[in-house]
Amino acid sequence: PPSVVECTGAGSPAGIVTFERFMGIASGQAARLAETGGISFVILFEIDHFIKITGEYGAAAASEAVRAVAERVVGAARPQDVLARHSGERFVLFAPDINEGGVTEYAGRLRHAVSAAPVRLGGTADVAVTACFGIASLMPENDVDAAIQYAGGALEVAQRGGRNKNKIVVQMSRH
């Protein structure tokens, strides 16, 4: 699981940092990678059909789904990665020291970890949970905020293509 263990609040799984902490860690690591010519990626992912889960099972069950997804991703993540809850049903993961082919395969493994088994919601319903993933490279000329924005665009493309999908944006340039 990720090496940084800090909770985002009561009931949050270990292995998830606050978004503010994520930004500090990812920015520092990205700066070090830029000095060495390394490449890293930002992976933004969102639980599919979250509004439907909330509507059918309630807010408490939706929180259980968020927790289950977070735990599954933490369990499948590499030790050097940093994971944070971005907002609602959306998470962001910083993946340093990985190439384009590797990050595509890696995001696929994370996506599979999310959907590998149904999630028990409210102690009564087993619900299939999937997620879409947007991936953006973090190049030396960019910052983490820009990479998150590019990953968000890739996530939207993945969602338009159906659910339980990955989309990657490799090159970025500062506007």
Side-chain angles (χ1 to χ4, degrees), residues 5-45:
V5 179
E6 178 181 313
C7 290
T8 57
S12 296
I16 301 194
V17 300
T18 63
F19 184 70
E20 294 77 19
R21 180 98 171 107
F22 169 89
M23 290 299 291
I25 294 167
S27 295
Q29 288 189 11
R32 282 189 292 284
L33 285 170
E35 291 173 6
T36 63
I39 187 168
S40 56
F41 288 84
V42 169
I43 302 173
L44 194 66
F45 62 98

Side-chain angles (χ1 to χ4, degrees), residues 69-84:
V69 166
E71 288 172 347
R72 290 173 181 189
V73 171
V74 166
R78 304 174 312 157
Q80 65 269 39
D81 297 336
V82 181
L83 176 66

Side-chain angles (χ1 to χ4, degrees), residues 70-139:
E71 288 172 347
R72 290 173 181 189
V73 171
V74 166
R78 304 174 312 157
Q80 65 269 39
D81 297 336
V82 181
L83 176 66
R85 189 169 176 187
H86 183 267
S87 60
E89 69 274 22
R90 188 173 279 197
F91 296 85
V92 62
L93 184 138
F94 176 72
D97 297 319
I98 192 168
N99 62 32
E100 180 184 344
V103 77
T104 302
E105 181 182 316
Y106 179 52
R109 286 194 316 267
L110 295 175
R111 189 170 49 84
H112 178 72
V114 168
S115 64
V119 175
R120 171 113 343 192
L121 299 178
T124 59
D126 290 331
V127 177
V129 176
T130 60
C132 280
F133 288 68
I135 307 161
S137 58
L138 181 57
M139 305 300 279

Side-chain angles (χ1 to χ4, degrees), residues 137 139 141-143 146 150 169-175:
S137 58
M139 305 300 279
E141 66 271 12
N142 294 301
D143 60 20
Y150 279 95
V169 174
V170 177
Q171 289 297 332
M172 302 186 319
S173 61
R174 196 170 269 199
H175 295 143

